[in-house]
């Protein structure tokens, strides 16, 4: 059923929300759980107040839900895949949240070893490594891919100082249809702004967001500096190359340029 009006946020079918939702207002991003996500994905989530984890759509093996592309610190052109071996119990129709890890104990050991080999020489590795341990432990504890991917992303966000909220699409109401689903999920957070990646802007019907009182902002990225391979390589590489403070500054500058904000550094005496 489509909204019946165009002047109120309450027109959406997503108004019947669970009682533990955040207060209204702010920016929302919706994205599948990605394993150590690409820099561009992490930057979009960092700029949001709420990240809705899209966990009840179909798992895609060619996507980044169970894998990350790593680049060597001393040779960014040398790359390799870091993969959580994943079994789909329902075949191609398996939802992301139902995907299972194959041989979890062995997978955790191999992933730890690969990360140490790739990034152990970074001066920032001793600080980041303990923060990654809880996410990597989930590989053996939980046995499912989605919580591991989500935890890996949350760890990087929090390492950079993000204090937003995480919700899950599987616990929120929404209509069928690609744009309808995204609009209803955004409404459920009470957000006034939806941050949309370049891929989503190719099909998004922004009028459905307008009808709910939500502004759609295309979140784009420069093609220079740290962002050159940002849509290909995991954020782990620039984080461990630059360190958290310099990468945070890059994120803040991008957020300011995309959202018309004034950075803290620009207002400091």
């Amino acid at each position: 059923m489509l909204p019946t009006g165009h002047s109120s946020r309450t027109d959406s079918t997503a108004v019947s929300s669970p009682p533990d939702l955040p207060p209204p207002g702010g920016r929302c991003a919706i994205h599948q759980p990605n394993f150590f996500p690409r820099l561009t994905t992490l930057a979009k989530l960092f700029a949001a107040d709420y990240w809705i984890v899209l966990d009840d759509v179909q798992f895609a093996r060619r996507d980044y839900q169970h894998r990350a592309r790593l680049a060597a610190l001393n040779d960014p052109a040398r790359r390799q895949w870091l993969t959580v071996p994943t079994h789909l119990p329902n075949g191609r129709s398996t939802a992301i949240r139902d995907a299972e890890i194959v041989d979890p104990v062995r997978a955790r050991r191999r992933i730890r070893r690969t990360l140490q080999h790739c990034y152990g020489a970074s001066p920032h590795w001793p600080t980041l490594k303990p923060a990654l341990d809880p996410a990597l432990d989930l590989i053996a504890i939980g046995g499912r891919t989605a919580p591991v991917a989500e935890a890996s992303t949350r760890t990087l966000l929090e390492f950079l100082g993000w204090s937003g909220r995480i919700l899950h699409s599987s616990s929120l109401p929404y209509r069928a249809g690609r744009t309808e689903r995204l609009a209803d999920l955004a409404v459920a957070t009470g957000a006034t702004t939806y941050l949309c990646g370049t891929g989503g802007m190719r099909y998004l019907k922004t009028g459905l967001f307008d009808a709910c009182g939500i502004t759609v902002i295309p979140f784009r990225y420069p093609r220079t500096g740290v962002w050159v391979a940002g849509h290909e390589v995991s954020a782990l590489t620039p984080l461990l190359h630059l360190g958290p403070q310099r990468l945070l500054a890059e994120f803040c500058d991008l957020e300011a340029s995309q959202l018309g904000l004034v950075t803290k550094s620009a207002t400091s005496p």
Side-chain angles (χ1 to χ4, degrees):
M1 177 179 175
L2 291 173
T4 57
H6 299 279
S7 60
S8 172
R9 299 173 58 79
T10 60
D11 289 335
S12 171
T13 59
V15 295
S16 299
S17 303
D20 60 344
L21 289 174
R27 301 188 292 268
C28 168
I30 303 171
H31 206 280
Q32 300 94 332
N34 279 189
F35 185 53
F36 293 122
R38 294 166 293 169
L39 184 66
T40 52
T41 299
L42 192 70
K44 182 182 71 172
L45 299 180
F46 186 85
D49 299 297
Y50 321 119
W51 169 29
I52 298 181
V53 181
L54 197 60
D55 64 344
D56 55 354
V57 297
Q58 184 175 317
F59 185 93
R61 285 201 178 276
R62 292 183 178 273
D63 211 329
Y64 295 88
Q65 295 142 21
H66 69 309
R67 61 180 186 166
R69 185 183 277 117
L70 309 182
L73 291 175
N74 59 353
D75 184 6
R78 194 170 82 245
R79 301 175 182 179
Q80 67 181 98
W81 285 107
L82 180 69
T83 303
V84 180
T86 298
H87 167 65
L88 304 182
N90 300 316
R92 294 180 61 184
S93 64
T94 301
I96 291 174
R97 62 179 176 175
D98 297 326
E100 301 172 351
I101 299 174
V102 178
D103 197 349
V105 174
R106 181 180 180 184
R108 178 180 61 174
R109 183 170 60 248
R110 179 181 54 78
I111 288 170
R112 284 183 187 274
R113 185 170 60 245
T114 301
L115 290 173
Q116 176 70 42
H117 175 75
C118 193
Y119 298 119
S122 168
H124 309 289
W125 177 247
T127 304
L128 180 60
K129 182 180 179 296
L132 296 180
D133 283 341
L136 298 182
D137 287 342
L138 281 178
I139 297 175
I141 295 172
R144 291 188 182 270
T145 303
V148 172
E150 177 186 330
S152 73
T153 302
R154 185 177 66 248
T155 295
L156 298 185
L157 287 170
E158 293 176 350
F159 195 71
L160 293 169
W162 187 71
S163 58
R165 292 280 303 275
I166 295 178
L167 305 169
H168 297 85
S169 61
S170 57
S171 65
L172 299 170
Y174 58 79
R175 291 166 290 169
R178 298 174 79 180
T179 299
E180 288 83 354
R181 173 176 59 205
L182 298 177
D184 287 349
L185 291 174
V187 168
T189 69
T192 54
T193 302
Y194 172 61
L195 303 181
C196 186
T198 53
M201 289 304 300
R202 297 190 187 103
Y203 67 83
L204 204 71
K205 303 172 185 175
T206 57
L208 293 179
F209 283 83
D210 294 338
C212 298
I214 298 175
T215 301
V216 175
I217 295 183
F219 204 74
R220 300 187 176 95
Y221 317 92
R223 299 292 183 180
T224 58
V226 69
W227 304 101
V228 168
H231 65 294
E232 299 174 351
V233 174
S234 168
L236 279 170
T237 299
L239 175 60
L240 287 160
H241 177 68
L242 300 175
Q245 293 305 315
R246 286 182 59 190
L247 187 59
L248 175 59
E250 292 281 354
F251 276 19
C252 290
D253 288 345
L254 178 63
E255 184 178 347
S257 66
Q258 291 293 293
L259 305 177
L261 304 176
V262 178
T263 61
K264 292 180 179 180
S265 59
T267 59
S268 300

